[in-house]
Amino acid sequence: MPLHDRIVPYIERASLYHLARLNVRWFWLDEPLVSAFIERWRPETHTFQMPFGECTITLQDVAYQLGLSVDGLPVYGCLTDFHERFRVLLNDATEDTVHIYARAYIMMLLSTQLFGDKSENQVYIWWLPFVARLDDMGGYSWGSAALAWLYRCMCRVANRNVTNLAGPLQLL
């Protein structure tokens, strides 16, 4: 989904603008490097076993790299194909329409960039309560939720014969 100029103020109020800017530039993941990290992941300790010792991704890393808040209220928890529906925001759109587009963009960010699954095309309705009040979104700890989701995804890959890894892989 394009990041329309008119929805940027709402994305900023939700404290997700940095993530949206990263989304515009898409990360090109080095798949062999990610695979090497996964091979060194230990689900028991949530750490990477490296030749020089253990290391992990911390909340500080999430805050710095993705620009997400790690303080605030906890985040807890369909498929809708609205990439096409929200592709174009008309210049003469009403403010109510702009709010709808901002909410749709935030739901897309949450479902694909932070809490993505292997389908890579689902936007879940469980984000609706969070985007209902855009002004409250900045008060949630999105960073800790994203890190927990990444740990969960990596543990699933390490414990099963799963071939695709999901989650906020930018942190790797």
Coordinates of all heavy atoms in Angstrom, one line a residue, residues 53-127:
G53 N 30.3 -16.5 21.6 CA 29.4 -16.6 22.8 C 28.0 -16.4 22.4 O 27.6 -16.5 21.2
E54 N 27.1 -16.2 23.4 CA 25.7 -16.0 23.1 C 25.3 -14.6 22.8 O 25.9 -13.7 23.3 CB 24.9 -16.5 24.3 CG 24.9 -17.9 24.6 CD 24.0 -18.3 25.8 OE1 23.6 -17.4 26.5 OE2 23.8 -19.5 25.9
C55 N 24.3 -14.4 22.0 CA 23.8 -13.1 21.7 C 22.3 -13.2 21.4 O 21.9 -14.3 21.0 CB 24.6 -12.3 20.6 SG 24.4 -13.1 19.0
T56 N 21.6 -12.1 21.5 CA 20.2 -12.2 21.2 C 19.7 -10.8 20.7 O 20.5 -9.8 20.7 CB 19.4 -12.6 22.4 OG1 18.0 -12.9 22.0 CG2 19.3 -11.5 23.5
I57 N 18.5 -10.7 20.3 CA 17.9 -9.4 19.9 C 17.1 -8.9 21.1 O 16.4 -9.7 21.7 CB 16.9 -9.6 18.7 CG1 17.7 -10.2 17.5 CG2 16.3 -8.3 18.3 CD1 16.8 -10.8 16.4
T58 N 17.4 -7.7 21.5 CA 16.8 -7.1 22.7 C 15.7 -6.1 22.3 O 15.6 -5.7 21.2 CB 17.9 -6.4 23.5 OG1 18.4 -5.3 22.8 CG2 19.0 -7.4 23.9
L59 N 15.0 -5.7 23.4 CA 14.0 -4.6 23.2 C 14.7 -3.3 22.7 O 14.2 -2.6 21.9 CB 13.3 -4.4 24.5 CG 12.2 -5.4 24.8 CD1 11.6 -5.1 26.2 CD2 11.1 -5.4 23.7
Q60 N 15.9 -3.1 23.2 CA 16.7 -1.9 22.7 C 16.9 -2.0 21.2 O 16.8 -1.0 20.5 CB 18.0 -1.8 23.5 CG 18.8 -0.6 23.1 CD 20.1 -0.5 23.9 OE1 20.5 -1.4 24.6 NE2 20.8 0.6 23.8
D61 N 17.2 -3.2 20.7 CA 17.4 -3.3 19.3 C 16.1 -3.0 18.5 O 16.2 -2.4 17.5 CB 17.9 -4.8 18.9 CG 19.2 -5.1 19.6 OD1 20.1 -4.2 19.7 OD2 19.4 -6.3 19.9
V62 N 15.0 -3.5 19.0 CA 13.7 -3.3 18.4 C 13.4 -1.8 18.3 O 13.0 -1.2 17.3 CB 12.6 -4.0 19.1 CG1 11.3 -3.7 18.5 CG2 12.9 -5.5 19.0
A63 N 13.6 -1.1 19.5 CA 13.3 0.3 19.6 C 14.2 1.1 18.6 O 13.7 2.0 17.9 CB 13.5 0.8 21.0
Y64 N 15.5 0.7 18.5 CA 16.4 1.5 17.7 C 16.2 1.2 16.2 O 16.1 2.1 15.4 CB 17.9 1.1 18.1 CG 18.9 1.8 17.2 CD1 19.2 3.2 17.4 CD2 19.6 1.2 16.2 CE1 20.1 3.8 16.7 CE2 20.5 1.8 15.5 CZ 20.8 3.1 15.7 OH 21.7 3.8 14.9
Q65 N 16.1 -0.1 15.8 CA 16.0 -0.5 14.4 C 14.6 -0.2 13.8 O 14.6 0.2 12.6 CB 16.4 -1.9 14.2 CG 17.8 -2.2 14.5 CD 18.1 -3.7 14.3 OE1 17.5 -4.4 13.5 NE2 19.1 -4.2 15.1
L66 N 13.6 -0.4 14.5 CA 12.2 -0.3 14.0 C 11.5 1.0 14.4 O 10.5 1.3 14.0 CB 11.4 -1.5 14.3 CG 11.9 -2.8 13.8 CD1 10.9 -3.9 14.1 CD2 12.2 -2.8 12.3
G67 N 12.1 1.7 15.4 CA 11.5 2.9 15.9 C 10.2 2.7 16.7 O 9.4 3.6 16.7
L68 N 10.1 1.6 17.3 CA 8.9 1.3 18.0 C 9.0 1.5 19.5 O 10.1 1.3 20.1 CB 8.5 -0.2 17.8 CG 8.2 -0.6 16.4 CD1 8.0 -2.1 16.3 CD2 7.0 0.1 15.8
S69 N 7.9 1.8 20.1 CA 7.9 2.0 21.6 C 8.0 0.6 22.3 O 7.4 -0.3 21.8 CB 6.6 2.7 22.0 OG 6.5 2.7 23.4
V70 N 8.8 0.6 23.3 CA 8.9 -0.7 24.1 C 8.3 -0.5 25.5 O 8.4 -1.4 26.3 CB 10.4 -1.2 24.2 CG1 10.9 -1.6 22.8 CG2 11.3 -0.2 24.8
D71 N 7.8 0.7 25.7 CA 7.1 1.0 27.0 C 5.7 1.3 26.7 O 5.3 1.7 25.6 CB 7.7 2.3 27.6 CG 9.2 2.1 28.0 OD1 9.5 1.0 28.5 OD2 10.0 3.1 27.8
G72 N 4.8 1.1 27.6 CA 3.4 1.3 27.4 C 2.6 0.1 27.7 O 3.0 -0.9 28.3
L73 N 1.3 0.2 27.3 CA 0.4 -0.9 27.5 C 0.8 -2.1 26.7 O 1.3 -2.0 25.6 CB -1.0 -0.4 27.1 CG -1.6 0.8 27.9 CD1 -2.8 1.3 27.2 CD2 -1.8 0.5 29.3
P74 N 0.5 -3.3 27.2 CA 0.8 -4.5 26.4 C -0.1 -4.6 25.2 O -1.2 -4.2 25.1 CB 0.5 -5.6 27.4 CG -0.4 -5.1 28.4 CD -0.2 -3.6 28.4
V75 N 0.4 -5.3 24.1 CA -0.3 -5.6 22.9 C -0.7 -7.1 23.0 O 0.2 -7.9 23.3 CB 0.6 -5.3 21.7 CG1 -0.2 -5.7 20.4 CG2 1.0 -3.9 21.6
Y76 N -1.9 -7.3 22.7 CA -2.3 -8.7 22.8 C -3.3 -9.0 21.6 O -3.8 -8.1 21.0 CB -3.0 -9.0 24.1 CG -4.1 -8.1 24.5 CD1 -5.4 -8.3 24.0 CD2 -3.8 -6.9 25.2 CE1 -6.4 -7.4 24.3 CE2 -4.8 -6.0 25.5 CZ -6.1 -6.3 25.0 OH -7.1 -5.3 25.3
G77 N -3.4 -10.0 21.5 CA -4.3 -10.4 20.5 C -5.5 -11.3 21.1 O -5.6 -11.5 22.2
C78 N -10.5 -13.2 8.0 CA -9.6 -12.4 8.3 C -8.8 -12.0 7.1 O -8.2 -11.0 7.0 CB -9.1 -12.5 9.5 SG -8.2 -12.1 10.8
L79 N -8.6 -12.7 7.1 CA -8.1 -12.4 5.8 C -9.0 -11.4 5.1 O -10.1 -11.6 4.9 CB -7.9 -13.7 5.0 CG -7.6 -13.5 3.5 CD1 -6.2 -12.9 3.4 CD2 -7.7 -14.8 2.7
T80 N -8.4 -10.3 4.7 CA -9.0 -9.3 3.9 C -8.0 -8.8 2.9 O -6.9 -8.5 3.2 CB -9.6 -8.1 4.7 OG1 -8.5 -7.6 5.5 CG2 -10.7 -8.5 5.6
D81 N -8.4 -8.8 1.7 CA -7.5 -8.3 0.6 C -7.8 -6.9 0.3 O -8.5 -6.6 -0.6 CB -7.7 -9.2 -0.6 CG -6.7 -8.8 -1.7 OD1 -5.7 -8.2 -1.4 OD2 -7.0 -9.1 -2.9
F82 N -7.3 -6.0 1.2 CA -7.6 -4.6 0.9 C -6.4 -3.8 0.4 O -6.4 -2.6 0.4 CB -8.3 -3.9 2.1 CG -7.6 -3.9 3.4 CD1 -6.4 -3.2 3.6 CD2 -8.1 -4.7 4.4 CE1 -5.9 -3.2 4.9 CE2 -7.5 -4.7 5.7 CZ -6.4 -3.9 5.9
H83 N -5.4 -4.6 -0.1 CA -4.3 -3.9 -0.8 C -4.8 -3.1 -2.0 O -4.4 -2.0 -2.3 CB -3.2 -4.9 -1.2 CG -2.4 -5.3 0.0 ND1 -2.8 -6.4 0.8 CD2 -1.3 -4.9 0.5 CE1 -2.0 -6.6 1.7 NE2 -1.0 -5.7 1.6
E84 N -5.7 -3.8 -2.8 CA -6.3 -3.1 -3.9 C -7.3 -2.1 -3.5 O -7.3 -1.0 -4.1 CB -6.9 -4.2 -4.8 CG -6.0 -5.1 -5.6 CD -5.0 -4.3 -6.5 OE1 -5.5 -3.3 -7.2 OE2 -3.8 -4.6 -6.5
R85 N -8.1 -2.3 -2.5 CA -9.1 -1.4 -2.1 C -8.5 -0.1 -1.6 O -9.1 1.0 -1.9 CB -9.9 -2.1 -1.0 CG -10.8 -1.1 -0.2 CD -12.0 -0.6 -0.9 NE -12.9 0.1 -0.1 CZ -12.8 1.4 0.1 NH1 -11.9 2.1 -0.5 NH2 -13.7 2.0 0.8
F86 N -7.4 -0.1 -1.0 CA -6.8 1.1 -0.4 C -5.6 1.6 -1.2 O -4.7 2.3 -0.6 CB -6.5 0.9 1.0 CG -7.7 0.7 1.9 CD1 -8.1 -0.6 2.3 CD2 -8.4 1.8 2.3 CE1 -9.2 -0.7 3.1 CE2 -9.6 1.6 3.0 CZ -10.0 0.4 3.4
R87 N -5.4 1.2 -2.4 CA -4.3 1.6 -3.2 C -4.3 3.1 -3.5 O -3.3 3.8 -3.5 CB -4.2 0.8 -4.5 CG -3.0 1.1 -5.3 CD -2.7 0.1 -6.4 NE -2.5 -1.2 -5.9 CZ -1.4 -1.7 -5.4 NH1 -0.4 -0.9 -5.2 NH2 -1.3 -2.9 -5.0
V88 N -5.5 3.7 -3.8 CA -5.6 5.0 -4.3 C -6.4 5.8 -3.3 O -7.5 5.5 -3.0 CB -6.3 5.1 -5.7 CG1 -6.4 6.5 -6.1 CG2 -5.4 4.3 -6.7
L89 N -5.8 6.9 -2.8 CA -6.5 7.9 -2.0 C -6.7 9.1 -2.8 O -5.7 9.8 -3.2 CB -5.8 8.2 -0.7 CG -6.4 9.2 0.3 CD1 -7.7 8.8 0.8 CD2 -5.4 9.5 1.4
L90 N -7.9 9.4 -3.1 CA -8.2 10.6 -4.0 C -7.9 11.9 -3.3 O -8.0 12.0 -2.1 CB -9.7 10.6 -4.3 CG -10.2 9.4 -5.1 CD1 -11.7 9.5 -5.3 CD2 -9.5 9.2 -6.4
N91 N -7.4 12.9 -4.1 CA -7.0 14.2 -3.5 C -8.2 14.9 -2.8 O -7.9 15.6 -1.9 CB -6.4 15.0 -4.6 CG -5.1 14.5 -5.1 OD1 -4.4 13.9 -4.4 ND2 -4.8 14.9 -6.3
D92 N -9.4 14.7 -3.3 CA -10.5 15.4 -2.7 C -11.2 14.5 -1.6 O -12.4 14.8 -1.3 CB -11.5 15.8 -3.8 CG -12.1 14.6 -4.6 OD1 -11.5 13.5 -4.4 OD2 -13.1 14.9 -5.3
A93 N -10.5 13.5 -1.1 CA -11.2 12.6 -0.1 C -11.5 13.4 1.2 O -10.7 14.3 1.6 CB -10.2 11.5 0.2
T94 N -12.6 13.0 1.8 CA -13.0 13.7 3.0 C -12.0 13.2 4.2 O -11.3 12.2 4.0 CB -14.4 13.3 3.4 OG1 -14.5 11.9 3.7 CG2 -15.4 13.6 2.3
E95 N -12.1 14.0 5.3 CA -11.2 13.6 6.4 C -11.6 12.2 7.0 O -10.7 11.5 7.4 CB -11.3 14.7 7.5 CG -10.1 14.7 8.4 CD -8.8 14.9 7.7 OE1 -8.7 15.6 6.7 OE2 -7.8 14.4 8.2
D96 N -12.9 11.9 6.9 CA -13.3 10.6 7.4 C -12.7 9.5 6.5 O -12.2 8.4 7.0 CB -14.8 10.4 7.4 CG -15.5 11.2 8.5 OD1 -14.8 11.5 9.5 OD2 -16.7 11.5 8.3
T97 N -12.6 9.7 5.2 CA -12.0 8.7 4.3 C -10.5 8.6 4.6 O -9.9 7.5 4.6 CB -12.2 9.1 2.8 OG1 -13.6 9.2 2.6 CG2 -11.6 8.1 1.9
V98 N -9.9 9.7 4.9 CA -8.4 9.7 5.2 C -8.2 8.9 6.5 O -7.3 8.1 6.6 CB -7.9 11.2 5.4 CG1 -6.4 11.1 5.9 CG2 -8.0 11.9 4.0
H99 N -9.1 9.0 7.5 CA -9.0 8.2 8.7 C -9.1 6.8 8.4 O -8.3 5.9 8.9 CB -10.1 8.6 9.7 CG -9.9 9.9 10.4 ND1 -10.9 10.5 11.1 CD2 -8.8 10.7 10.5 CE1 -10.4 11.7 11.6 NE2 -9.1 11.7 11.3
I100 N -10.0 6.4 7.5 CA -10.2 5.0 7.1 C -8.9 4.5 6.5 O -8.4 3.4 6.8 CB -11.4 4.8 6.2 CG1 -12.7 5.1 7.0 CG2 -11.4 3.4 5.6 CD1 -13.9 5.2 6.2
Y101 N -8.3 5.3 5.6 CA -7.1 4.9 4.9 C -5.9 4.7 5.9 O -5.1 3.8 5.8 CB -6.7 5.8 3.8 CG -7.4 5.5 2.4 CD1 -8.7 5.7 2.2 CD2 -6.6 5.0 1.4 CE1 -9.3 5.4 1.0 CE2 -7.2 4.6 0.2 CZ -8.6 4.8 0.0 OH -9.1 4.5 -1.2
A102 N -5.9 5.6 6.8 CA -4.8 5.6 7.8 C -4.9 4.3 8.6 O -3.9 3.6 8.9 CB -4.8 6.8 8.7
R103 N -6.1 4.0 9.0 CA -6.3 2.7 9.8 C -6.0 1.5 9.0 O -5.4 0.6 9.5 CB -7.8 2.7 10.3 CG -8.1 3.6 11.4 CD -9.5 3.5 11.9 NE -9.8 4.4 13.0 CZ -10.4 5.6 12.9 NH1 -10.8 6.0 11.7 NH2 -10.6 6.3 14.0
A104 N -6.4 1.5 7.7 CA -6.0 0.4 6.8 C -4.5 0.2 6.7 O -4.0 -0.9 6.7 CB -6.7 0.6 5.5
Y105 N -3.8 1.4 6.5 CA -2.4 1.3 6.4 C -1.7 0.8 7.6 O -0.8 -0.1 7.6 CB -1.9 2.7 6.0 CG -0.4 2.7 5.6 CD1 -0.1 2.5 4.3 CD2 0.6 2.8 6.5 CE1 1.3 2.4 3.9 CE2 1.9 2.7 6.2 CZ 2.3 2.6 4.8 OH 3.6 2.5 4.4
I106 N -2.2 1.2 8.8 CA -1.6 0.7 10.0 C -1.9 -0.8 10.2 O -1.0 -1.5 10.6 CB -2.2 1.5 11.2 CG1 -1.7 2.9 11.2 CG2 -1.9 0.8 12.5 CD1 -2.3 3.9 12.2
M107 N -3.1 -1.2 9.8 CA -3.4 -2.7 9.9 C -2.5 -3.4 9.0 O -2.0 -4.5 9.3 CB -4.9 -2.9 9.6 CG -5.8 -2.5 10.8 SD -7.5 -2.8 10.5 CE -7.5 -4.6 10.4
M108 N -2.2 -2.9 7.8 CA -1.3 -3.5 6.9 C 0.1 -3.6 7.5 O 0.8 -4.6 7.4 CB -1.3 -2.8 5.5 CG -0.4 -3.4 4.5 SD 1.4 -3.0 4.5 CE 1.3 -1.2 4.5
L109 N 0.6 -2.5 8.1 CA 1.9 -2.5 8.7 C 2.0 -3.6 9.8 O 3.0 -4.3 9.9 CB 2.2 -1.1 9.3 CG 2.7 0.0 8.5 CD1 2.9 1.2 9.3 CD2 4.0 -0.4 7.8
L110 N 1.0 -3.6 10.7 CA 1.0 -4.6 11.8 C 1.0 -6.0 11.3 O 1.7 -6.9 11.7 CB -0.2 -4.3 12.7 CG -0.2 -3.0 13.4 CD1 -1.5 -2.8 14.2 CD2 1.0 -2.8 14.3
S111 N 0.1 -6.3 10.3 CA 0.0 -7.6 9.8 C 1.1 -8.1 8.9 O 1.3 -9.3 8.8 CB -1.4 -7.8 9.0 OG -2.5 -7.6 9.9
T112 N 1.8 -7.2 8.2 CA 2.8 -7.7 7.3 C 4.2 -7.4 7.8 O 5.1 -8.2 7.6 CB 2.6 -7.1 5.9 OG1 2.7 -5.6 6.0 CG2 1.3 -7.5 5.3
Q113 N 4.4 -6.3 8.4 CA 5.8 -5.9 8.8 C 6.2 -6.4 10.2 O 7.3 -6.8 10.4 CB 6.0 -4.4 8.7 CG 5.9 -3.8 7.3 CD 6.9 -4.4 6.4 OE1 8.1 -4.2 6.7 NE2 6.5 -5.0 5.3
L114 N 5.3 -6.3 11.1 CA 5.6 -6.7 12.5 C 5.2 -8.1 12.8 O 5.9 -8.8 13.4 CB 4.9 -5.7 13.5 CG 5.5 -4.3 13.6 CD1 4.9 -3.5 14.7 CD2 7.0 -4.4 13.8
F115 N 3.9 -8.4 12.5 CA 3.4 -9.7 12.9 C 3.0 -10.5 11.8 O 1.9 -11.2 11.8 CB 2.1 -9.4 13.9 CG 2.5 -8.5 15.0 CD1 2.0 -7.2 15.0 CD2 3.3 -9.0 16.0 CE1 2.3 -6.4 16.1 CE2 3.6 -8.1 17.1 CZ 3.1 -6.8 17.1
G116 N 3.8 -10.5 10.7 CA 3.5 -11.3 9.5 C 3.5 -12.8 9.8 O 4.2 -13.3 10.6
D117 N 2.8 -13.5 8.9 CA 2.8 -14.9 8.9 C 3.3 -15.4 7.6 O 3.6 -14.6 6.7 CB 1.5 -15.5 9.3 CG 0.4 -15.2 8.4 OD1 0.6 -14.6 7.3 OD2 -0.8 -15.4 8.7
K118 N 3.3 -16.7 7.4 CA 3.9 -17.2 6.1 C 3.0 -17.0 4.9 O 3.5 -17.1 3.8 CB 4.2 -18.7 6.3 CG 5.4 -18.9 7.2 CD 5.8 -20.3 7.3 CE 4.7 -21.1 8.0 NZ 5.0 -22.5 8.2
S119 N 1.8 -16.6 5.1 CA 0.9 -16.3 4.0 C 1.3 -15.1 3.3 O 1.1 -14.9 2.1 CB -0.6 -16.2 4.4 OG -0.8 -15.0 5.1
E120 N 1.9 -14.1 4.0 CA 2.3 -12.8 3.5 C 1.3 -12.0 2.8 O 1.6 -11.1 2.1 CB 3.5 -13.1 2.5 CG 4.7 -13.7 3.2 CD 5.9 -13.9 2.2 OE1 5.7 -13.7 1.0 OE2 6.9 -14.3 2.7
N121 N 0.0 -12.3 3.0 CA -1.0 -11.5 2.3 C -2.3 -11.4 3.2 O -3.3 -11.0 2.7 CB -1.4 -12.1 1.0 CG -2.1 -13.5 1.1 OD1 -2.2 -14.0 2.2 ND2 -2.6 -14.0 0.0
Q122 N -2.2 -11.6 4.5 CA -3.3 -11.5 5.4 C -3.2 -10.3 6.3 O -2.2 -10.0 6.8 CB -3.4 -12.8 6.2 CG -3.7 -14.0 5.4 CD -3.9 -15.3 6.2 OE1 -3.8 -15.2 7.4 NE2 -4.3 -16.4 5.6
V123 N -4.3 -9.7 6.4 CA -4.5 -8.6 7.4 C -5.5 -9.0 8.4 O -6.7 -9.3 8.0 CB -4.9 -7.3 6.7 CG1 -5.1 -6.2 7.7 CG2 -3.8 -6.9 5.7
Y124 N -5.2 -9.2 9.6 CA -6.1 -9.8 10.6 C -7.0 -8.7 11.3 O -6.5 -7.6 11.6 CB -5.3 -10.5 11.6 CG -4.6 -11.7 11.0 CD1 -3.3 -11.7 10.6 CD2 -5.4 -12.9 10.9 CE1 -2.7 -12.8 10.1 CE2 -4.8 -14.0 10.3 CZ -3.5 -14.0 9.9 OH -2.9 -15.1 9.3
I125 N -8.2 -9.1 11.5 CA -9.1 -8.2 12.2 C -8.9 -8.0 13.6 O -9.4 -7.1 14.2 CB -10.6 -8.6 11.9 CG1 -10.8 -10.0 12.5 CG2 -11.0 -8.6 10.5 CD1 -12.3 -10.4 12.6
W126 N -8.0 -8.8 14.2 CA -7.7 -8.6 15.7 C -7.0 -7.3 15.9 O -6.9 -6.9 17.1 CB -7.0 -9.8 16.3 CG -5.7 -10.1 15.8 CD1 -4.6 -9.3 15.7 CD2 -5.2 -11.4 15.3 NE1 -3.5 -10.0 15.2 CE2 -3.9 -11.3 14.9 CE3 -5.8 -12.6 15.2 CZ2 -3.1 -12.4 14.4 CZ3 -5.1 -13.7 14.7 CH2 -3.8 -13.5 14.3
W127 N -6.5 -6.6 14.9 CA -5.9 -5.3 15.1 C -6.9 -4.2 15.1 O -6.6 -3.0 15.5 CB -4.9 -5.0 14.0 CG -3.8 -6.0 13.9 CD1 -3.5 -6.9 12.8 CD2 -2.9 -6.4 14.9 NE1 -2.5 -7.7 13.2 CE2 -2.1 -7.4 14.5 CE3 -2.7 -6.0 16.3 CZ2 -1.1 -8.0 15.2 CZ3 -1.7 -6.6 17.0 CH2 -0.9 -7.6 16.5

